[in-house]
Amino acid sequence: MTEVTQAAELGGLLRSLGVRRGGVLMVHASLSGTGVAPEPVRDALLAALGPAGTLIVPAFTPENSDTSRAHQDAVAGLSEAEAAEYRGSMPPFDPDATECPTMGALAECVRSTHGAVRSAHPQTSLAGLGPGAGKLLRRHPMRSHLGRLSPMARLYAADAQILLLRVGFEVCSAFHYAEYLTRPRPPRRTYRCVVDEKGNWVSYRDLALDDSDFGEIGSRLPRRLLAEAEWASKGVVLCSMRDLVGHARNQMSGYRRALA
């Protein structure tokens, strides 16, 4: 199947799943192995949303933090001196230029598209295209990765849909928003990241975010909440962010416990 044919097939699939024209759609995607470039996928998503719709993607940058799992993996096995040298070479976050390679080709494509808007958080920014992107992403305080003060709360208020395109619930960042709503409240921790070319670092506290059970939470969601299909040999799921967050919050509140 050609790239053009696959992109056209995706467009039809998005409509059949129920992507809302004029709505807000947050997409997590993996295009690896499809043979399809991110640009036609982006265009198919925008076409499904229509001119009044808004496309949002995660544009996270764990590469600029020494408290991230990505950093811990990168320095594993290095000497103290080597780790210090690596830390000193870590790039600062620039919302206009910093790439988001770990988020996949589609996210980077959307982020770098002319006219895209990106929120200002140095670790968990979101990027978007469409008339609603500026309002949705306008404020993103450092102390709220994906919580009540972040764009994620505005996506929830906007009744956004979530599309998992060839990925599982393990990467569903809407579940992080549910963490902020759980009771008892999750523990907090300190995060650090480099923020400018002079090598200045900042520290701040926020929830100790934990995605280790996201796949399990997703597997427990009532299937009636999900529109499911297949594209390029892998699953595609469309669902309401409000439904996801509500069920995830209830699950987390039932078995997670605040730690000292």
Side-chain angles (χ1 to χ4, degrees):
M1 188 180 295
T2 68
E3 181 180 71
V4 173
T5 302
Q6 282 190 293
E9 182 185 78
L10 176 61
L13 180 66
L14 294 170
R15 290 187 291 274
S16 68
L17 284 172
V19 171
R20 290 197 300 266
R21 288 187 66 79
V24 178
L25 180 69
M26 183 169 186
V27 181
H28 298 270
S30 171
L31 303 183
S32 177
T34 64
V36 181
E39 290 80 9
V41 175
R42 173 202 61 196
D43 294 346
L45 291 163
L46 291 172
L49 286 164
T54 300
L55 172 63
I56 303 291
V57 295
F60 302 167
T61 48
E63 299 83 8
N64 77 325
S65 169
D66 67 354
T67 53
S68 70
R69 192 161 53 221
H71 178 80
Q72 293 165 6
D73 292 342
V75 300
L78 298 183
S79 68
E80 185 174 336
E82 289 170 333
E85 181 179 1
Y86 181 89
R87 186 177 187 273
S89 69
M90 289 168 61
F93 176 72
D94 178 348
D96 295 325
T98 300
E99 298 179 356
C100 54
T102 58
M103 294 296 101
L106 177 67
E108 177 58 20
C109 173
V110 171
R111 180 207 68 80
S112 60
T113 296
H114 179 71
V117 178
R118 190 181 195 177
S119 69
H121 199 286
Q123 289 187 255
T124 52
S125 66
L126 305 179
L129 290 166
K135 184 177 180 179
L136 289 167
L137 306 181
R138 72 183 185 279
R139 289 187 301 108
H140 200 164
M142 197 169 296
R143 68 183 186 280
S144 185
H145 279 282
L146 298 165
R148 293 178 184 270
L149 301 178
S150 77
M152 197 65 79
R154 292 189 286 278
L155 293 177
Y156 182 88
D159 194 20
Q161 293 177 297
I162 304 293
L163 181 72
L164 302 177
L165 184 61
R166 305 182 77 249
V167 295
F169 282 100
E170 293 83 357
V171 300
C172 183
S173 55
F175 285 164
H176 282 306
Y177 183 60
E179 292 186 275
Y180 289 83
L181 307 181
T182 59
R183 296 294 182 272
R185 291 185 180 277
R188 295 170 63 83
R189 58 166 287 197
T190 297
Y191 295 87
R192 291 186 302 272
C193 55
V194 58
V195 292
D196 62 34
E197 295 290 347
K198 297 179 181 179
N200 291 317
W201 288 70
V202 295
S203 298
Y204 58 96
R205 291 185 63 77
D206 195 6
L207 292 193
L209 299 176
D210 178 10
D211 61 6
S212 62
D213 56 359
F214 283 8
E216 184 177 358
I217 290 172
S219 71
R220 294 173 176 169
L221 291 170
R223 308 324 287 179
R224 60 181 171 77
L225 301 180
L226 313 177
E228 301 178 88
E230 186 177 287
W231 180 69
S233 303
K234 288 193 177 182
V236 181
V237 176
L238 180 73
C239 40
S240 159
M241 179 178 175
R242 290 180 181 175
D243 286 341
L244 288 190
V245 169
H247 280 267
R249 178 193 62 212
N250 291 339
Q251 289 190 48
M252 292 174 185
S253 295
Y255 67 79
R256 286 190 180 187
R257 294 292 181 267
L259 302 176

